[in-house]
Amino acid sequence: KKVIELSPDSISTYCLSYDAGSKLADGEAFLDVNRERTFYEKTWAFLAKSGYSQYEISNFSKDKQSACLHNIRTWEMCEWEAFGPSASNQRILGSKDLFARRQKNVSSFEKWLEGVDKGELNFDYIEEVSLDEFIRDCFIFGLRMNKGINLSLLKKRFKKSPEIKKTLSFLKESLDSDLFIQKEDSFC
């Protein structure tokens, strides 16, 4: 209710996650999946009643123009930049074996600032992603969006990849088994 009083353009609703080695993960707290689901469902209903539309599994906005562009670009598997500790980026490189690279800045503010001062970025991890892996990620992350996976965009973006043919075939087979629904040119 307090967040609604602030009247933000968009709201993200994520569940608490436990970092390995933290007091929360080491048994001093526990996760009640049923309670978490109830909180989520009540939050979604409350936000809808308060004038916010869900555009992604964890994100709501007052209108389409207010949706968080960073979130949308992330779930549509575009490029994004990272600024600050723990921030992540994704760069599209374009080759088949190394199609994209994802990097997460160090979590420590001190180590991050030290790198900035030296002109050297420090990362907690660097992930190199092949074209086939990237197409699978487009599929998985696309399912987070309420509008689903846009087939025309996938075909256009990856028309030369054999992996896209497998993905499209899987989607068509899945329609028959009721795993997905098709809305126009999108799968949800």
Side-chain angles (χ1 to χ4, degrees):
K1 291 178 183 178
K2 295 264 186 202
V3 170
I4 298 299
E5 288 173 16
L6 295 172
S7 190
D9 291 333
S10 62
I11 298 173
S12 294
T13 59
Y14 292 98
C15 295
L16 176 65
S17 59
Y18 304 102
D19 291 331
S22 71
K23 289 181 181 181
L24 290 174
D26 291 339
E28 294 187 27
F30 65 93
L31 179 65
D32 181 338
V33 178
N34 292 325
R35 186 172 186 216
E36 189 172 300
R37 180 177 37 252
T38 300
F39 281 148
Y40 242 147
E41 290 168 352
K42 286 183 178 184
T43 299
W44 291 341
F46 179 74
L47 288 173
K49 190 172 114 180
S50 301
Y52 289 84
S53 298
Q54 184 181 30
Y55 65 92
E56 189 264 349
I57 195 160
S58 298
N59 291 282
F60 300 78
S61 65
K62 288 184 177 178
D63 53 48
K64 287 184 179 182
Q65 290 73 31
S66 299
C68 177
L69 184 58
H70 170 79
N71 287 340
I72 292 170
R73 290 185 61 80
T74 298
W75 307 136
E76 290 181 345
M77 300 306 293
C78 299
E79 289 189 307
W80 63 85
E81 287 301 325
F83 302 99
S86 297
S88 298
N89 71 28
Q90 174 167 280
R91 297 213 172 86
I92 309 297
L93 305 171
S95 76
K96 183 179 183 337
D97 296 328
L98 181 55
F99 189 78
R101 180 176 290 127
R102 298 177 189 137
Q103 302 170 132
K104 179 183 173 285
N105 291 344
V106 292
S107 300
S108 162
F109 178 77
E110 292 78 17
K111 287 181 182 176
W112 174 79
L113 190 56
E114 182 181 304
V116 169
D117 288 343
K118 291 180 179 178
E120 302 169 358
L121 297 176
N122 297 314
F123 302 107
D124 279 344
Y125 75 83
I126 299 173
E127 177 186 11
E128 296 187 341
V129 183
S130 71
L131 177 59
D132 290 350
E133 291 170 317
F134 194 83
I135 290 172
R136 283 190 291 271
D137 286 351
C138 286
F139 173 76
I140 292 166
F141 284 99
L143 289 174
R144 291 186 61 96
M145 302 290 291
N146 285 30
K147 65 182 179 182
I149 304 164
N150 185 304
L151 293 181
S152 294
L153 288 177
L154 270 182
K155 287 178 195 174
K156 183 177 177 182
R157 192 171 182 189
F158 303 110
K159 61 186 166 200
K160 295 180 180 177
S161 169
E163 183 64 31
I164 193 63
K165 292 176 184 167
K166 291 181 208 169
T167 302
L168 295 174
S169 175
F170 169 75
L171 286 172
K172 288 176 184 167
E173 290 171 15
S174 299
L175 277 176
D176 296 334
S177 63
D178 294 330
L179 282 175
F180 301 101
I181 58 170
Q182 187 168 4
K183 293 191 295 188
E184 298 174 14
D185 199 28
S186 293
F187 278 77
C188 305

